[in-house]
């Protein structure tokens, strides 16, 4: 069907259709030109990325081609800069500032030298233990008696005027083997009084075996009493119990003395005595310290710490407290 006027001129509808076709054609051209711009921009971007990658690669080439420096060729840091040493003012310690402290220090040094000399003399001394032997001593009135049973010097004397003295006393010294069986590191002896009993003062000299042990052993010597079964069954623990007597140790004379009292008994009372070392003397305490009796401990919980405390007794300082 052909539209239009009869005279051949286009109608309004035909004009509108022509305008639409022109606008559609223009839009297509625009779209085509836009696609060309997009395609061109992508191409240009690709060329730029390639150029950047080439420049970056060329910049890494010198680093790869640089020579390797070994440790032997590396240079040191050089000598450090140190300040020149300088001497501060030194004040010498002088004991003249405190005469009392100086006197205590001198006294302590003299005591140390004396103890060292005594130790050297004891080391050079010969030790002679007494052998087995027996002696009977009789004392009349206020007199005294001496004997050497087994080579051990013993003395008997009166205790006092009011005390009744025992008329006689038999002393038997055991050999070193029997003393060790009874657990005695010293001298073991047996004393038997007369049937009347009484009191006496027994003195023993330990000069022949004073240097037998160290640790001021001679200064710790004392007299102890053991059960009578120590001579028959010394392997029993109850027969080795040592009860200390009221003994006096005269270290400078190397003599021990103690008062003894015997009960009246047919055949005489028997006492087993021993010359043994105590745990302490003027030179110190050698007794074993119980660690579990006074120690305390505590844990730190989440921190994991552990604290243990034990009090230790320290000798006083020679110069007094700080």
């Amino acid at each position: 069907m052909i539209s239009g006027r009869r005279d051949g001129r286009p109608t309004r509808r035909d004009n509108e259709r022509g305008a639409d076709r022109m606008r559609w054609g223009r839009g297509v051209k625009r779209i085509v030109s836009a696609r060309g711009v997009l395609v061109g921009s992508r191409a240009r971007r690709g060329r730029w990325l390639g150029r950047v990658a080439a420049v970056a690669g060329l910049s890494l080439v010198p680093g790869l081609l640089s020579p390797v420096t070994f440790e032997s060729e590396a240079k040191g840091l050089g000598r450090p800069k140190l300040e020149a040493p300088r001497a501060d003012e030194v004040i010498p310690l002088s004991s003249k500032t405190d005469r009392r402290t100086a006197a205590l220090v001198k006294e302590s040094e003299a005591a140390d030298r004396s103890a060292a000399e005594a130790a050297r003399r004891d080391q050079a001394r010969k030790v002679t233990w007494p052998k087995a032997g027996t002696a009977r001593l009789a004392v009349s009135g206020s007199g005294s008696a001496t004997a050497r049973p087994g080579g051990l010097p013993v003395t008997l004397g009166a205790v006092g005027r009011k005390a009744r003295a025992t008329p006689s006393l038999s002393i038997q010294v055991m050999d070193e083997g029997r003393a060790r069986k009874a657990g005695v590191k010293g001298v073991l002896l047996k004393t038997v009084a007369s049937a009347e009993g009484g009191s006496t003062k027994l003195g023993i000299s330990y000069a022949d075996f004073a240097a037998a042990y160290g640790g001021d052993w001679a200064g710790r010597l004392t007299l102890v009493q053991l059960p009578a079964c120590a001579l028959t069954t010394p392997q029993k623990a109850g027969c080795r119990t040592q009860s200390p007597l009221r003994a006096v140790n005269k270290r400078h004379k190397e003599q021990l003395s103690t008062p003894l009292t015997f009960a009246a008994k047919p055949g005489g009372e028997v006492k087993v005595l021993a010359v043994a070392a105590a745990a302490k003397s003027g030179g110190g305490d050698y007794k074993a310290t119980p660690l579990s009796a006074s120690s305390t401990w505590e844990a730190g919980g989440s921190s994991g710490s552990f604290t243990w405390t034990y009090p230790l007794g320290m000798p006083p300082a020679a110069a007094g407290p700080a």
Side-chain angles (χ1 to χ4, degrees), residues 49-222:
L49 291 176
R51 293 175 182 176
V52 171
V55 172
L58 292 175
S59 64
L60 296 176
V61 171
L64 298 175
L65 298 178
S66 61
V68 180
T69 304
F70 295 96
E71 185 178 359
S72 60
E73 300 177 359
K75 296 182 179 180
L77 299 177
R79 183 177 180 182
K81 295 182 180 180
L82 301 177
E83 296 182 0
R86 57 186 181 86
D88 292 336
E89 183 181 0
V90 179
I91 301 176
L93 179 62
S94 176
S95 59
K96 296 181 180 180
T97 56
D98 190 348
R99 296 181 179 179
R100 184 177 180 182
T101 302
L104 291 174
V105 171
K106 290 182 179 180
E107 184 179 354
S108 178
E109 291 176 352
D112 292 342
R113 287 194 298 269
S114 178
E117 293 175 0
R120 285 193 291 268
R121 288 195 301 268
D122 289 342
Q123 292 176 357
R125 294 176 60 178
K126 183 180 179 180
V127 177
T128 304
W129 291 102
K131 300 178 181 180
T134 305
R136 190 168 190 87
L137 293 84
V139 180
S140 59
S142 59
S144 62
T146 60
R148 295 180 63 91
L152 179 67
V154 295
T155 304
L156 284 184
V159 177
R161 296 180 179 179
K162 296 182 180 181
R164 182 173 61 87
T166 181
S168 62
L169 183 68
S170 174
I171 300 177
Q172 180 182 0
V173 177
M174 309 299 171
D175 58 10
E176 187 180 359
R178 295 192 65 178
R180 290 187 176 275
K181 288 182 180 180
V184 176
K185 290 184 177 180
V187 179
L188 183 66
L189 56 146
K190 172 184 176 182
T191 60
V192 182
S194 57
E196 296 85 354
S199 299
T200 186
K201 185 177 181 180
L202 175 64
I204 300 175
S205 174
Y206 57 85
D208 293 338
F209 51 89
Y213 300 97
D216 195 28
W217 181 77
R220 294 183 288 116
L221 283 179
T222 186

Side-chain angles (χ1 to χ4, degrees), residues 18-64:
D20 291 338
R21 290 175 180 175
M22 292 177 65
R23 285 194 295 269
W24 182 84
R26 294 174 182 175
V28 171
K29 291 180 179 180
R30 290 177 181 176
I31 292 173
V32 171
S33 63
R35 289 182 177 177
V37 172
L38 291 174
V39 171
S41 63
R42 289 181 180 177
R44 288 194 296 272
R45 187 179 301 173
R47 289 195 297 271
W48 278 105
L49 291 176
R51 293 175 182 176
V52 171
V55 172
L58 292 175
S59 64
L60 296 176
V61 171
L64 298 175

Side-chain angles (χ1 to χ4, degrees), residues 279 285-291 310:
D285 192 346
Y286 295 84
K287 182 174 60 177
T289 305
L291 296 178
Y310 179 76

